[in-house]
Amino acid sequence: MGENVENLPEIRQFKEWFEKRHEYAKKWKEKTGGKVVGYYCTYVPEEILYAAGILPVRILGSHEPESITRPYLHDMYCPFCHDTLAQGLQGRYNYLDGVTIAQSCLHMRQSYFSFADRVENIEWSYYLPFPHGVNNPYAADYAKHEFEKFKAAVEEWTGTTISDKDLEEAIQVYNKNRELMMKVFEFRKAEDPKITGLHAMYMVVSSQVVDKAEHNEVLESLVEKLPETESDREVGTRFMLIGSEDYDEELFKLIEYGMNYPATFVFEENCTGSRYFWGTVEDADDKLMALAKRYVYRVPCPAKDWARGDFFGRRRFQFIEKVIREWNVEAVIIAQMKFCDPHELDIPSLRDMLDKMGVPHLHLELDLTQPVGQFRTRVEALIESMGEEDLYI
Amino acid sequence: MTEVKVRPFECWDDFKKYRMEYYKNYLEAKEKGGIRWAGSAWAFDPVPAGLGEDVYPLTGEPYGATCAFFRDFSYRALEAIERKGVARDLCGYMRNYWGSIVLDKYLLADGTEVEPFPKPDFNFTIHICCTHAKWYHYAAELEGGVPTYAVDISVGPGYLLDDKKIEYVVRQLEDAIQWMEKVTGREYDDELLIKAVENEAKSMTLWAKICKLNQATPAPMEEKSMFSFYVLTLLKRSDEKVVKLYEKLYKEVESRVKRGIGALTYEQFRFVTDNPPPWPFLKVYRYLEQTYGAVSVGSIYTFGLGGAWKCMDEKGEKWVWEPAPTPEEVGYEIHDRRSALWWTAMFNLKYRASWQHEYSHRIRKLETYQMIKDWKVDAIIMHLNRGCELWNMSTLEVRDYLVKQGVPVATYEGNMADPREFDEARTFNVIDSFMQSLGVEKLA
C-alpha cells in the first residue's frame, strides 16, 4: 500500500504556502532584504524580476465580500479585478515594493492602475505593453523589444545590472518548475490520476507566490513520491476545468469532495492551472528573445487568441482538444469569471467544439463567492445526464 | 438671458445623404462587381482602399449604433444572439451586429430592413480592447467562414511611441495587403493607398479643427448634431468625398462662430459628456437643451474617436487639445507603399485621441480635465456605459479626480446599444437633481 496522497507533506506544504502567501512573502523579505513585486497577469516575464533578485508574487483576491472598490471600478468589471484591488486597499499587500502588469484584459488593466495609484506602499509600477496578436509572426520580436525596456526599468529601479548569466539562471529555475509541474500533470492521465484538482490548484498557485527554487525542491520530492501514492477516494467522472483564473477552494472541494457522485478534475486549462506553466523557454544565446517566444507562443489567454489571415482556428482550442483526448476527459466544466469578456467571447465557439467532440459540458459563472448549493445541483445533474442510459437498464 | 440666433446646418442633408448611401453601397456592392469588407471603425481603412475604387466597408460600431437607435430591430437582434449563448454584458454594438447576422437582416440608415445580411468578402479590423478581433472572428464563424485579418495595435500610448512599435504595426499591414490580394484576387494599387492615407489624415484633422471651433460661446454645435457629423470619420474617412464634406462643414461652423450663430436659443449651461451616448435614448440631450438651456459641447468620445489631436505632450504630463499635423504640414512625403503604411500607423497610434486613454486612467484624467478647461464648460455628465467595457474603463477614477478638482459631475447608468438597459425616468431624475443642486433653473 502506498502513502495516501492527501497526507503527503508536499501537498500540505503547497496548501500552506497558498493559504499563508502574505506571511511567506513578508518572511522572505525579512530573510533576504530583497524587493517583492506583485504582478497582475501571467504574461509578465517573471524571470527578469527573479534575475534581479526580486520575488514576483501574483496578486490574488480573498473571495470575501467587499464594497470598497466600487468608487474606482465599475460594477460590470469582473470580481477578480475587484477582489485584487480590495486586497491592496485593505493593506493585505502592504509588503509589496512594486506592482506590474503585462498588457492583458481591460478589467485587470484598470484594477492594476488603481492598485498602483492607491496602494500607498507601492514605490514602483510598470505597465508592460505585451502584444495581443500572439498569432502573428512579428509578436515575439515586438515582445522582446518591450522586455528590453522592462529589464532596463527593473535595473534602474533596483540599481542592479541583470546579466545574461543572471537571466540564464532565472530561466533554468523557472523551466525546472514548469517541467516538474508538467510531470505532475502527466500523472493525471492515468486511470488513477494521483492528485485532485484541488491539489493541483494548491501546487500551481503556490508556485505563483513563493520563490521558485524553494518550490522546485518540494515539487521534485512530490514527483518522486507520486508513483507510489494512492488515494482512498473514488475517481468518478473525469472532469477538465476550462476558463478564467480559479483558485477558489470551495469550488474544488464541492466538486471533488462534496457531491453525491464522485468526480475528479484531471486537468485545469486556466491561468491558475496549466496555462501558467505549460511550455518552457528554449535554450538560446539571445535570452530575451527566447523569453519573448515562450510568452508569445504559450497556450494563449482568450484575450489574445484570435484568427489571423489564413489561420482560422484558436490555438487554445487546439490545446484543449488535445488534452481532452490524452487525459481521457469525460466532461468539461467551463468556469468563467463573471463579466470576463475574453472568455465570454470564446464560450459559444468552445461549446460548439465540445458538442462536435461529443464531450458533455457545463458552464458555471464564477463570482467573488460561489453559489455552492446551486453548483452542486447543476454538476450532479450533468453527471446524471451522462449516465442516463443506465437508468433504463 | 441673451437670446442667440439659431440656424439649421446647411450641410446637414449632405451628411445624412452620405450615410444613407454608405449603407446602400455596401449592400449593392456585389451588383456592381465591387468588394465588401467589414471591420471596426478603427480599422486602417486606407489599406483596403488600395484594392480599387469600388471597395465598400461596413464598420461595425456605427452599424451597431444604428441598430440600437431602431429599438424594435435591436430587441430582436439582441435576443437572437442571446439565444446562441452569447453573454449580455458583452459589447452592445457587437451584439447588435451579430444579432443582425443571425436574423439575416440588414438595416439601412433610415431603419429599412433588408434580407439577407450582406456577407463581406473579408473582415479587416484592429485589436486594441478585448473585443475587436474576436468580434470579427465569431462573426466569420456565424457567416460560415469569412477570411478575417486583425492588426494588433496594442503598443501603448502615443507619447511613448518608438520606431519599433510603429514597425510592428507596419509589418502587419504589409502582410495584410498581400493577404487581401490573395483573398480578393485583385492586384493592389499603391497610388490609391497613398491617396487614401492622405485623405484619412485630412478627415481626422479637419474634424479636430471643427470640434475646436465649438470652444466659442455660444457653441455653434450641440453634441446630438455632432453625432451625425463625427460618424463619417468612422465610416470611410479615407474617402475624398468625406474630406470635402468636412471642408464644407468647417467653413460653415467657422462662419457660424463669426456670426454668433449658436446651437441653442438660450445657452445658459455648458457641459461635456464622456462615453458613447445611449443611442436609443438621445432624447436625454434634447431634454437638457429644452428644459435647461444646457448644451453638450462635445465629449472625449465625439472628439476623440475619429479626431486626430496632439494628445499627450512628450513628457506625458499634459494633454494638448490641438489638431494633429497632416503629412503636408510636417513635410512628410508619402511616395510609396511603405511610406504610406508608416504614416497611417504612426498617425493613428500617436494622434488618435481615443487610443491614448485605453492604456491608463492617468491619461484619461488629464484628457478630460483639459477638455473641461478648453471648452469652458460648467460640468460633465458621465454615462456609466454597460455596453462598452473599453469606454467604461477609467470612468470612476476620472469621476473621482474631477470631483477633487472641483468640477461638478453627474453620472447615470445605461447602455449605448442595449435599450433594455436604460432607465429613462431615473436618468431624467438624475439630471433634474443635478441641475437643481447647481442652481440651474428651468427655462420659462
Side-chain angles (χ1 to χ4, degrees):
Chain A
M1 287 285 282
E3 196 173 356
N4 188 328
V5 70
E6 304 283 341
N7 301 325
L8 286 180
E10 290 80 4
I11 298 289
R12 289 209 301 273
Q13 178 65 76
F14 294 145
K15 183 172 185 284
E16 187 184 326
W17 277 335
F18 169 75
E19 288 172 349
K20 296 181 179 169
R21 50 191 180 269
H22 299 306
E23 288 83 346
Y24 174 89
K26 285 174 193 169
K27 278 183 193 158
W28 181 92
K29 207 169 162 172
E30 274 174 28
K31 191 173 69 184
T32 64
K35 292 181 187 296
V36 183
V37 168
Y39 67 89
Y40 249 94
C41 172
T42 56
Y43 277 97
V44 169
E46 288 175 60
E47 290 90 335
I48 293 173
L49 296 167
Y50 195 79
I54 293 168
L55 175 68
V57 298
R58 186 169 185 186
I59 297 176
L60 299 167
S62 69
H63 296 291
E64 295 164 281
E66 59 84 17
S67 58
I68 55 173
T69 56
R70 293 306 181 274
Y72 317 118
L73 304 179
H74 194 259
D75 281 352
M76 64 171 280
Y77 273 30
C78 79
F80 179 73
C81 76
H82 277 279
D83 199 3
T84 46
L85 177 59
Q87 303 310 302
L89 297 176
Q90 288 169 336
R92 289 180 183 168
Y93 279 103
N94 58 5
Y95 52 87
L96 288 185
D97 300 287
V99 62
T100 186
I101 188 172
Q103 185 163 267
S104 55
C105 65
L106 296 169
H107 295 192
M108 278 209 271
R109 191 181 304 179
Q110 175 62 69
S111 186
Y112 157 77
F113 275 110
S114 293
F115 195 105
D117 288 358
R118 295 189 179 279
V119 177
E120 286 177 5
N121 46 291
I122 299 300
E123 66 174 54
W124 179 82
S125 62
Y126 194 94
Y127 182 86
L128 172 62
F130 190 85
H132 277 322
V134 294
N135 291 335
N136 86 57
Y138 312 116
D141 191 35
Y142 172 61
K144 182 199 162 190
H145 173 64
E146 291 296 346
F147 284 7
E148 281 168 352
K149 291 198 280 188
F150 181 64
K151 175 173 167 278
V154 172
E155 287 174 329
E156 190 187 342
W157 175 49
T158 56
T160 56
T161 301
I162 303 170
S163 66
D164 266 8
K165 188 167 170 288
D166 297 330
L167 264 182
E168 173 63 30
E169 284 168 8
I171 289 169
Q172 279 176 10
V173 170
Y174 271 68
N175 270 353
K176 186 171 182 181
N177 195 255
R178 292 172 180 130
E179 283 161 2
L180 288 166
M181 290 205 280
M182 283 193 278
K183 272 187 189 166
V184 173
F185 268 48
E186 280 292 315
F187 286 120
R188 305 171 80 189
K189 282 180 174 173
E191 208 169 298
D192 165 17
K194 302 293 179 192
I195 64 166
T196 63
L198 181 66
H199 302 144
M201 187 277 285
Y202 288 143
M203 174 184 79
V204 180
V205 180
S206 64
S207 82
Q208 298 178 337
V209 293
V210 305
D211 185 325
K212 288 279 196 293
E214 208 174 331
H215 199 262
N216 284 346
E217 288 174 18
V218 181
L219 264 176
E220 274 185 311
S221 172
L222 178 71
V223 168
E224 262 180 45
K225 286 182 185 174
L226 271 183
E228 306 306 322
T229 58
E230 59 185 31
S231 173
D232 57 7
R233 57 186 296 286
E234 202 181 331
V235 175
T237 307
R238 296 172 67 90
F239 274 119
M240 177 176 182
L241 185 69
I242 298 176
S244 314
E245 57 279 274
D246 188 355
Y247 52 100
D248 193 335
E249 291 170 285
E250 287 292 306
L251 186 80
F252 290 96
K253 284 178 182 168
L254 165 74
I255 293 172
E256 296 185 309
Y257 298 90
M259 295 198 308
N260 288 320
Y261 303 112
T264 304
F265 286 112
V266 296
F267 205 94
E268 295 79 32
E269 195 283 315
N270 58 20
C271 62
T272 43
S274 62
R275 253 199 336 264
Y276 173 64
F277 63 81
W278 215 262
T280 54
V281 181
E282 287 185 9
D283 189 27
D285 291 338
D286 186 341
K287 304 296 172 203
L288 285 180
M289 180 54 102
L291 266 184
K293 284 182 175 170
R294 189 269 158 185
Y295 283 92
V296 165
Y297 300 124
R298 57 166 259 195
V299 181
C301 166
K304 297 178 184 295
D305 196 16
W306 30 269
R308 179 188 185 272
D310 48 4
F311 172 67
F312 201 71
R314 293 170 178 83
R315 274 189 7 224
R316 190 172 72 102
F317 282 19
Q318 291 168 1
F319 180 72
I320 289 169
E321 197 174 349
K322 179 174 145 57
V323 169
I324 287 172
R325 296 194 197 291
E326 292 184 10
W327 270 257
N328 297 313
V329 170
E330 291 172 314
V332 163
I333 292 191
I334 303 169
Q336 168 234 320
M337 194 64 67
K338 191 172 181 178
F339 301 133
C340 174
D341 281 27
H343 278 283
E344 287 175 347
L345 285 157
D346 269 2
I347 285 172
S349 305
L350 175 63
R351 294 176 74 163
D352 282 351
M353 183 185 91
L354 295 173
D355 284 342
K356 281 177 191 151
M357 292 178 74
V359 178
H361 51 87
L362 179 68
H363 177 193
L364 303 179
E365 201 172 59
L366 305 177
D367 209 329
L368 203 64
T369 57
Q370 314 308 337
V372 174
Q374 187 199 88
F375 280 4
R376 179 189 293 116
T377 307
R378 294 177 64 195
V379 178
E380 286 181 353
L382 172 73
I383 294 172
E384 281 170 15
S385 70
M386 288 166 65
E388 65 186 345
E389 286 174 18
D390 295 346
L391 296 173
Y392 303 102
I393 291 171
Chain B
M1 199 180 303
T2 315
E3 189 172 321
V4 176
K5 286 180 285 182
V6 177
R7 298 277 185 280
F9 282 97
E10 287 167 20
C11 59
W12 182 257
D13 289 343
D14 297 332
F15 277 77
K16 289 287 180 187
K17 189 176 164 210
Y18 184 89
R19 191 163 156 262
M20 190 65 209
E21 285 176 355
Y22 171 85
Y23 288 109
K24 208 158 167 281
N25 284 337
Y26 179 79
L27 178 70
E28 295 168 355
K30 304 316 286 181
E31 293 165 24
K32 301 170 199 161
I35 287 175
R36 288 188 194 127
W37 69 273
S40 165
W42 276 341
F44 289 92
D45 104 310
V47 176
L51 290 170
E53 287 173 338
D54 56 351
V55 176
Y56 301 98
L58 174 67
T59 51
E61 298 91 333
Y63 180 76
T66 301
C67 295
F69 183 79
F70 294 100
R71 281 186 231 175
D72 175 59
F73 181 82
S74 186
Y75 292 136
R76 284 181 281 134
L78 294 168
E79 284 168 12
I81 196 62
E82 281 161 16
R83 282 196 292 275
K84 301 280 286 181
V86 166
R88 270 182 77 151
D89 55 282
L90 288 172
C91 168
Y93 291 153
M94 178 180 72
R95 286 184 292 126
N96 276 285
Y97 185 94
W98 285 351
S100 204
I101 294 173
V102 173
L103 290 175
D104 207 16
K105 288 180 194 293
Y106 176 71
L107 208 60
L108 294 173
D110 62 357
T112 305
E113 293 180 25
V114 182
E115 289 185 57
F117 185 87
K119 186 174 169 175
D121 293 294
F122 62 87
N123 292 317
F124 176 63
T125 190
I126 50 90
H127 193 77
I128 188 168
C129 73
C130 295
T131 300
H132 282 109
K134 299 183 79 88
W135 169 337
Y136 288 95
H137 191 155
Y138 189 55
E141 288 176 4
L142 287 173
E143 292 177 303
V146 173
T148 299
Y149 191 105
V151 179
D152 177 18
I153 56 158
S154 52
V155 297
Y159 75 96
L160 297 174
L161 199 61
D162 59 34
D163 288 344
K164 196 84 183 179
K165 289 170 189 261
I166 299 171
E167 185 66 16
Y168 174 55
V169 175
V170 169
R171 289 165 85 181
Q172 294 178 68
L173 293 176
E174 284 175 332
D175 276 9
I177 289 175
Q178 289 178 19
W179 172 82
M180 283 176 197
E181 286 184 314
K182 195 170 129 193
V183 297
T184 63
R186 285 204 181 180
E187 196 175 330
Y188 198 81
D189 184 339
D190 288 339
E191 290 304 314
L192 288 176
L193 168 72
I194 291 167
K195 190 70 196 157
V197 167
E198 288 168 348
N199 285 340
E200 177 193 48
K202 284 178 191 166
S203 299
M204 289 173 69
T205 49
L206 270 166
W207 176 242
K209 286 175 184 169
I210 293 163
C211 295
K212 203 164 156 56
L213 290 171
N214 226 30
Q215 289 178 353
T217 306
M221 297 181 288
E222 33 67 44
E223 198 179 9
K224 186 170 176 300
S225 294
M226 292 170 81
F227 291 145
S228 296
F229 297 141
Y230 92 112
V231 74
L232 268 53
T233 62
L234 307 174
L235 297 180
K236 203 178 176 188
R237 60 189 161 276
S238 63
D239 186 353
E240 193 156 0
K241 284 182 196 161
V242 171
V243 176
K244 299 281 178 215
L245 281 170
Y246 280 130
E247 284 171 348
K248 194 172 173 183
L249 179 64
Y250 180 79
K251 279 181 193 156
E252 186 177 348
V253 178
E254 191 181 39
S255 162
R256 286 165 78 95
V257 172
K258 278 182 191 157
R259 290 184 291 150
I261 294 173
L264 308 188
T265 310
Y266 298 105
E267 178 182 307
Q268 68 162 340
F269 188 83
R270 290 163 70 92
F271 67 100
V272 289
T273 67
D274 65 332
N275 257 260
W279 292 106
F281 299 93
L282 293 179
K283 64 165 90 164
V284 170
Y285 291 84
R286 288 289 180 253
Y287 180 76
L288 278 152
E289 290 164 10
Q290 289 163 4
T291 313
Y292 294 101
V295 59
S296 174
V297 298
S299 64
I300 57 169
Y301 178 74
T302 320
F303 290 3
L305 205 62
W309 300 88
K310 287 191 175 170
C311 303
M312 294 296 284
D313 67 4
E314 285 182 7
K315 290 180 182 170
E317 292 170 353
K318 190 173 186 286
W319 183 277
V320 183
W321 281 111
E322 288 294 334
T326 59
E328 284 170 356
E329 285 164 353
V330 294
Y332 182 85
E333 195 194 337
I334 303 177
H335 52 83
D336 59 8
R337 181 181 297 185
R338 178 95 191 156
S339 58
L341 295 180
W342 189 92
W343 178 270
T344 189
M346 181 282 295
F347 188 74
N348 281 280
L349 293 171
K350 190 166 186 179
Y351 298 127
R352 187 183 280 278
S354 52
W355 286 4
Q356 311 308 313
H357 62 232
E358 301 283 332
Y359 296 103
S360 166
H361 62 229
R362 295 171 188 164
I363 295 173
R364 187 150 160 180
K365 284 173 185 175
L366 297 173
E367 177 191 24
T368 311
Y369 187 57
Q370 197 61 45
M371 172 176 277
I372 286 164
K373 287 207 287 191
D374 290 355
W375 272 263
K376 301 181 281 290
V377 300
D378 304 297
I380 180 166
I381 298 180
M382 300 175 75
H383 177 198
L384 302 180
N385 173 17
R386 299 178 73 89
C388 178
E389 58 160 20
L390 173 64
W391 275 93
N392 204 14
M393 195 172 82
S394 305
T395 47
L396 292 173
E397 284 283 6
V398 171
R399 180 197 165 278
D400 182 71
Y401 173 77
L402 294 176
V403 167
K404 285 179 179 149
Q405 303 303 314
V407 178
V409 184
T411 58
Y412 67 96
E413 190 143 2
N415 190 311
M416 64 188 182
D418 189 336
R420 299 166 304 180
E421 288 196 325
F422 186 77
D423 188 334
E424 189 176 319
R426 184 183 162 84
T427 304
F428 287 167
N429 274 337
V430 166
I431 290 167
D432 288 340
S433 304
F434 184 55
M435 290 302 184
Q436 200 179 350
S437 71
L438 296 175
V440 182
E441 294 191 0
K442 288 186 178 180
L443 297 177

